[in-house]
Amino acid sequence: MQKNASSLRCTLGTLSVLLPLFCATAFAQQENDKENDKEIEVIEVTGNASNAALLSPKQSLIDGPFGDGLSIQDIARSVTPISAQMMEVLNITTLQDILAVSPSTYAASGFGAPSLPTIRGQLGELLQDGVRRQAGNNGFGVPLSFNAIEQVDVVKGPPPVMFGSSQRNGGFVNLQSKRASISKQDSKMSLSAGRWDSYRAQIDTSKVLVDNKSGLRLSYERIDNGDFYDFSGYKSDSLYSAFRLVPNSDSTWDINVEYYDVEYTDNAGINRPTQNLIDKGLYITGQGAQANGSLIPRAGSVISPTGEVRINRSQVLTDPGNINTATTFLVHSIYRRQLSDNARLKNTTYYQYLERESIAQNSFVEIIDAANTAQNRTELAYDWHHSQQSIIAFDVRYNSVLGYSQFTTEADAPIDLTGPIMNRRIPLTSEQQARLVELRPGVFVSPGGQYDINGDGAGDFSLSDTTDSSSWQTGLAVQHDSQWTDELSTSLGYRLDYYDVKAQDPIAPQGQVAVSDSINEILQSAQISVSYAITASLTSYIAGSYNEATSNSMAGGNVLGGDNTISELNFATNNSLFEAGIKYAPSDSHWYVDGAWFNQRRSLRNRDGSNTGVRATGLELQAFYTAERFWFNAGYTYIDARYDNSATSQGSRQVADAFDNTRADIIQGTGLGSPNFTPFAASNTQVQGIPQQSLGLNGGLNINEKWSAGFSGIYTKSYPLDFLATVLIRDQFTLDLNTRYLFSEQLALRFTLNNVTNEKNWRPVFEGGFFGSTLVFPELPIHGEVKLSYSF
């Protein structure tokens, strides 16, 4: 498999370069046939260090979610567009960096490699150019490269009907890909170096093939990072190409290709998160023991504390023998055509191939041998007259996943991080191996179905997310926008999705016939919004939506349950939103301000595949001020997220369960042992791991034409780490400073100092609170980075 994977990487990498070149050759000839056509008008926006106006969301156009070419004040939802200029100024290179700009985006660490955004306290969707991307399993899976991205649009609340039914409904991030220029040629190279031997290099070049007809853009990024954390690192290569063809004044065609290969670290943070660890950095030592006296970490192990020491924050739950790699290949094609004065066509085609391998010494395994996703959406927009517009969309999406998983024998709490590395390793006993299947020599995974070998009427195997599944999602959507008066407008949308899903066990135990199942379901979604312009600068709106969503496993696949069927409950996740807001966007002012109040009910997928209802009520405020010499923005969030009379669970009831009471001077342990999977009864308890209040502040000053300086700060209010609120993460803040100097119009040097006050901050390891009583993630200490950019 390794040899085939290497060959595939080579082939796809070559295709990513040759495909746009092939298209350019094939279509450039059309110039001679279109000489008499009207030339399309092209507007290029450029700027330098002194043009702060480009940092205002008023200058951003948003494509995809609610139509194309819309400004932020045209959209009746809470949105934060983050432009390429903002990404550069604030050094936004990961999904977690958007917290600095966008309210309601506080996130857990995602085991150190987040692949999904967190919005309004729940994992959200990741889209690119209006199409849902493949993103691993519940946020842990495939890190994201920003090499191909030039704008990030953060939308709070469920996806609109045009995007169809999906798995996650907290909100979504729509990544806008870099485009090739047909009128301007330029190139940019950047090199950066930071603490812990972290290095990044990127070259981005755009070439006009035929003036105002076709262009090509290539971008390559290499990251080779050491890490503050033990046994950690990050190495990746991203090769991106974009081709644009404008055959005539009525149509454009963009084709984008990316190949991405990454090697990274599964970082579980520090275990045993007591209040003393959070407040004072004190860690309780002692290896957990099983009932038979074995010190190998197992469920129910009990720790007899041997002392309490100040732990180095880099001493996290990693292992030099772990393997974490991923490779993905993406193609996007977007074709637009003006059919008549009243009608427009847009066709979006997407394909992604993904493979991933995660094999940990603590017995965790998640291997995606192959995940293929293809989607085509055709949208027809028709203007009935100047005040009425309809959009009809037909959407087909195919997803197939072959993957293997094993997470039933992990045990984090019994491990003493201050002891030898062997403390962290979990060799499987013969009894555990008997409940699994050997995929490769020494690599055991769960089968994809349940089997009764001994005939006692009970299943004899441990199930995880192993699957060989495929799904067809066919959707039909309609959206109608009306402008009733100069002040009043409405938007209505409805969509039906038909699912045809099949799943089978790809690795049945020896002597067993592989089980399989199929299911067909119809899901619905609807939305409505009303906007009213109080003045030319001040717009109010209300919006509501309802959708029926799915619950999936790794790579969006579908698994068989313990009864060897695909559960209907996986297609019965109901989500609703009510939102009211106001937007102030004066054309003759440096200000942009908006605010939204929301009440959102959504379903949270648990680690065991069940769903937990969560209701979030909150307030989001954001303000931007952009003058020629100075810019400033602030974002505030208040969110009250509670279980909606719904049950939930944790890996352990509380951290004290991991310890006995032999050292009551250190901790009053219960001796129950940990992990001890604990379900909690239905309640309206506050959801753990989410701060009720957070505040982001950013600003910059152009000291002169060459020199600028800025800052970025984040504050979060105290919040519970675990369901029972036995441990709290206190009030925290982080302050980053940066400065940039232009040696010439081409050459710039930037220096960033992050966490300048060297705060000892913490955050949850994973969304949903399952590990809240077991693990906590220490954020990075003070660190700096220098970046040199050259344009030519």
Side-chain angles (χ1 to χ4, degrees), residues 354-394:
L354 169 68
E355 61 181 33
R356 172 176 179 256
E357 186 154 308
S358 179
I359 302 176
Q361 297 300 307
N362 71 346
S363 75
F364 174 82
V365 176
E366 186 168 290
I367 297 172
I368 300 173
D369 259 355
N372 291 278
T373 307
Q375 183 171 348
N376 182 272
R377 181 167 64 241
T378 300
E379 302 173 29
L380 178 64
Y382 189 82
D383 298 327
W384 300 98
H385 49 79
H386 70 278
S387 61
Q388 302 289 327
Q389 174 189 268
S390 295
I391 305 175
I392 299 175
F394 180 72

Side-chain angles (χ1 to χ4, degrees), residues 234-514:
Y234 187 102
K235 296 181 180 180
S236 69
D237 292 280
S238 171
L239 178 61
Y240 174 78
S241 59
F243 171 71
R244 164 162 282 200
L245 174 70
V246 183
N248 52 56
S249 60
D250 294 326
S251 57
T252 61
W253 190 12
D254 290 290
I255 302 174
N256 311 316
V257 182
E258 182 180 13
Y259 168 78
Y260 178 58
D261 185 84
V262 61
E263 178 181 348
Y264 56 102
T265 301
D266 172 3
N267 187 340
I270 297 177
N271 61 348
R272 309 177 183 180
T274 63
Q275 196 64 58
N276 257 358
L277 177 67
I278 301 299
D279 295 344
K280 303 176 183 177
L282 296 177
Y283 181 84
I284 300 176
T285 59
Q287 184 77 354
Q290 303 177 45
N292 62 7
S294 172
L295 298 181
I296 294 175
R298 293 279 188 265
S301 294
V302 178
I303 306 161
S304 295
T306 58
E308 195 172 26
V309 300
R310 188 172 300 279
I311 192 170
N312 191 322
R313 291 169 63 87
S314 65
Q315 202 166 350
V316 292
L317 196 55
T318 53
D319 192 298
N322 289 353
I323 298 171
N324 288 281
T325 62
T327 300
T328 187
F329 172 74
L330 299 97
V331 180
H332 282 87
S333 168
I334 303 175
Y335 177 77
R336 293 180 174 91
R337 183 173 180 84
Q338 187 76 34
L339 300 176
S340 67
D341 290 343
N342 296 337
R344 298 174 301 282
L345 176 73
K346 178 181 178 182
N347 180 271
T348 303
T349 302
Y350 156 80
Y351 170 75
Q352 181 174 358
Y353 171 84
L354 169 68
E355 61 181 33
R356 172 176 179 256
E357 186 154 308
S358 179
I359 302 176
Q361 297 300 307
N362 71 346
S363 75
F364 174 82
V365 176
E366 186 168 290
I367 297 172
I368 300 173
D369 259 355
N372 291 278
T373 307
Q375 183 171 348
N376 182 272
R377 181 167 64 241
T378 300
E379 302 173 29
L380 178 64
Y382 189 82
D383 298 327
W384 300 98
H385 49 79
H386 70 278
S387 61
Q388 302 289 327
Q389 174 189 268
S390 295
I391 305 175
I392 299 175
F394 180 72
D395 205 340
V396 179
R397 181 180 177 93
Y398 172 76
N399 188 63
S400 69
V401 179
L402 174 59
Y404 308 92
S405 175
Q406 204 300 94
F407 51 65
T408 63
T409 56
E410 291 178 82
D412 297 323
I415 296 169
D416 185 350
L417 286 179
T418 66
I421 197 70
M422 292 303 297
N423 280 7
R424 312 178 185 192
R425 298 181 174 174
I426 304 178
L428 300 177
T429 65
S430 57
E431 291 81 6
Q432 289 172 323
Q433 292 179 10
R435 296 186 59 82
L436 303 169
V437 181
E438 193 169 20
L439 176 66
R440 305 174 197 159
V443 178
F444 289 84
V445 298
S446 297
Q450 188 59 271
Y451 304 87
D452 180 11
I453 302 294
N454 57 20
D456 65 354
D460 297 319
F461 292 87
S462 301
L463 298 186
S464 302
D465 280 343
T466 296
T467 187
D468 181 2
S469 65
S470 63
S471 65
W472 285 95
Q473 177 185 352
T474 305
L476 181 63
V478 60
Q479 177 178 311
H480 186 78
D481 302 323
S482 302
Q483 187 73 45
W484 300 105
T485 67
D486 290 343
E487 295 81 21
L488 180 65
S489 62
T490 61
S491 179
L492 298 171
Y494 179 76
R495 174 163 172 153
L496 281 175
D497 279 290
Y498 175 76
Y499 279 86
D500 183 5
V501 180
K502 298 177 181 179
Q504 64 180 8
D505 182 1
I507 187 169
Q510 187 174 4
Q512 300 298 308
V513 177

Side-chain angles (χ1 to χ4, degrees), residues 596-600 616-620 638-640:
W597 176 88
F598 61 88
N599 185 294
Q600 183 170 325
T617 302
L619 176 68
E620 298 157 352
Y638 171 80
I639 179 170
D640 184 20

Side-chain angles (χ1 to χ4, degrees), residues 127-141:
L127 298 100
Q128 186 168 347
D129 298 327
V131 180
R132 181 159 39 101
R133 276 187 54 148
Q134 195 63 268
N137 186 11
N138 285 343
F140 171 62

Side-chain angles (χ1 to χ4, degrees), residues 424-723:
R424 312 178 185 192
R425 298 181 174 174
I426 304 178
L428 300 177
T429 65
S430 57
E431 291 81 6
Q432 289 172 323
Q433 292 179 10
R435 296 186 59 82
L436 303 169
V437 181
E438 193 169 20
L439 176 66
R440 305 174 197 159
V443 178
F444 289 84
V445 298
S446 297
Q450 188 59 271
Y451 304 87
D452 180 11
I453 302 294
N454 57 20
D456 65 354
D460 297 319
F461 292 87
S462 301
L463 298 186
S464 302
D465 280 343
T466 296
T467 187
D468 181 2
S469 65
S470 63
S471 65
W472 285 95
Q473 177 185 352
T474 305
L476 181 63
V478 60
Q479 177 178 311
H480 186 78
D481 302 323
S482 302
Q483 187 73 45
W484 300 105
T485 67
D486 290 343
E487 295 81 21
L488 180 65
S489 62
T490 61
S491 179
L492 298 171
Y494 179 76
R495 174 163 172 153
L496 281 175
D497 279 290
Y498 175 76
Y499 279 86
D500 183 5
V501 180
K502 298 177 181 179
Q504 64 180 8
D505 182 1
I507 187 169
Q510 187 174 4
Q512 300 298 308
V513 177
V515 293
S516 63
D517 190 30
S518 62
I519 193 171
N520 304 115
E521 293 286 343
I522 295 177
L523 305 184
Q524 303 179 71
S525 56
Q527 67 188 39
I528 182 173
S529 66
V530 180
S531 297
Y532 185 80
I534 301 171
T535 68
S537 302
L538 188 64
T539 302
S540 62
Y541 71 88
I542 56 173
S545 74
Y546 168 82
N547 72 69
E548 298 167 341
T550 63
S551 291
N552 307 119
S553 65
M554 58 180 170
N558 294 270
V559 297
L560 298 174
D563 59 355
N564 292 330
T565 66
I566 303 172
S567 174
E568 293 182 358
L569 295 178
N570 289 345
F571 302 86
T573 303
N574 299 325
N575 304 273
S576 61
L577 166 73
F578 178 79
E579 182 176 310
I582 194 165
K583 300 186 178 185
Y584 176 66
S587 59
D588 57 349
S589 170
H590 299 301
W591 282 98
Y592 172 81
V593 181
D594 70 28
W597 176 88
F598 61 88
N599 185 294
Q600 183 170 325
R601 189 191 188 281
R602 60 201 189 278
S603 187
L604 185 72
R605 183 181 183 270
N606 299 319
R607 192 169 182 263
D608 63 359
S610 63
N611 293 304
T612 295
V614 175
R615 184 175 296 277
T617 302
L619 176 68
E620 298 157 352
L621 302 171
Q622 59 182 357
F624 292 79
Y625 179 85
T626 53
E628 188 67 20
R629 296 285 305 277
F630 175 78
W631 69 272
F632 172 84
N633 97 278
Y636 170 77
T637 303
Y638 171 80
I639 179 170
D640 184 20
R642 296 184 176 275
Y643 293 103
D644 191 20
N645 193 29
S646 185
T648 188
S649 60
Q650 274 184 176
S652 289
R653 187 175 65 99
Q654 60 177 328
V655 67
D657 291 350
F659 303 93
D660 62 26
N661 203 32
T662 57
R663 289 293 305 273
D665 58 316
I666 296 177
I667 187 170
Q668 293 184 349
T670 67
L672 292 179
S674 177
N676 60 8
F677 176 80
T678 304
F680 295 103
S683 72
N684 298 107
T685 303
Q686 179 184 349
V687 177
Q688 65 270 40
I690 304 171
Q692 279 196 324
Q693 298 186 65
S694 61
L695 176 67
L697 298 173
N698 308 281
L701 173 67
N702 296 316
I703 300 170
N704 55 43
E705 292 185 355
K706 294 181 177 293
W707 187 18
S708 62
F711 72 93
S712 178
I714 300 170
Y715 164 80
T716 55
K717 187 71 175 173
S718 175
Y719 60 94
L721 183 61
D722 63 317
F723 179 85

Side-chain angles (χ1 to χ4, degrees), residues 89-275:
V89 166
L90 294 179
N91 197 29
I92 293 175
T93 59
T94 73
L95 286 173
Q96 293 193 332
D97 294 335
I98 65 177
L99 172 62
V101 185
S102 180
S104 291
T105 56
Y106 181 80
S109 73
F111 286 96
S115 63
L116 289 171
T118 297
I119 302 174
R120 290 180 177 170
Q122 187 201 2
L123 285 173
E125 288 286 10
L126 179 66
L127 298 100
Q128 186 168 347
D129 298 327
V131 180
R132 181 159 39 101
R133 276 187 54 148
Q134 195 63 268
N137 186 11
N138 285 343
F140 171 62
V142 185
L144 175 68
S145 168
F146 274 52
N147 179 47
I149 308 307
E150 65 181 359
Q151 182 167 312
V152 177
D153 298 328
V154 185
V155 184
K156 291 82 170 182
V161 296
M162 283 296 155
F163 289 170
S165 173
S166 61
Q167 180 180 354
R168 305 169 185 94
N169 286 271
F172 62 93
V173 168
N174 185 37
L175 308 171
Q176 293 194 32
S177 300
K178 292 176 178 177
R179 299 283 187 241
S181 174
I182 59 174
S183 62
K184 181 182 178 182
Q185 299 189 159
D186 57 15
S187 299
K188 183 178 181 180
M189 180 177 67
S190 64
L191 301 170
S192 64
R195 195 177 178 188
W196 308 301
D197 296 323
S198 297
Y199 305 101
R200 182 190 303 255
Q202 184 186 64
I203 184 166
D204 189 336
T205 183
S206 188
K207 179 176 177 58
V208 176
L209 301 177
V210 179
D211 284 342
N212 296 320
K213 294 291 183 179
S214 61
L216 177 67
R217 185 170 183 175
L218 297 173
S219 183
Y220 171 74
E221 181 184 61
R222 167 69 175 177
I223 300 175
D224 190 345
N225 286 350
D227 208 319
F228 164 73
Y229 306 106
D230 294 346
F231 314 120
S232 297
Y234 187 102
K235 296 181 180 180
S236 69
D237 292 280
S238 171
L239 178 61
Y240 174 78
S241 59
F243 171 71
R244 164 162 282 200
L245 174 70
V246 183
N248 52 56
S249 60
D250 294 326
S251 57
T252 61
W253 190 12
D254 290 290
I255 302 174
N256 311 316
V257 182
E258 182 180 13
Y259 168 78
Y260 178 58
D261 185 84
V262 61
E263 178 181 348
Y264 56 102
T265 301
D266 172 3
N267 187 340
I270 297 177
N271 61 348
R272 309 177 183 180
T274 63
Q275 196 64 58

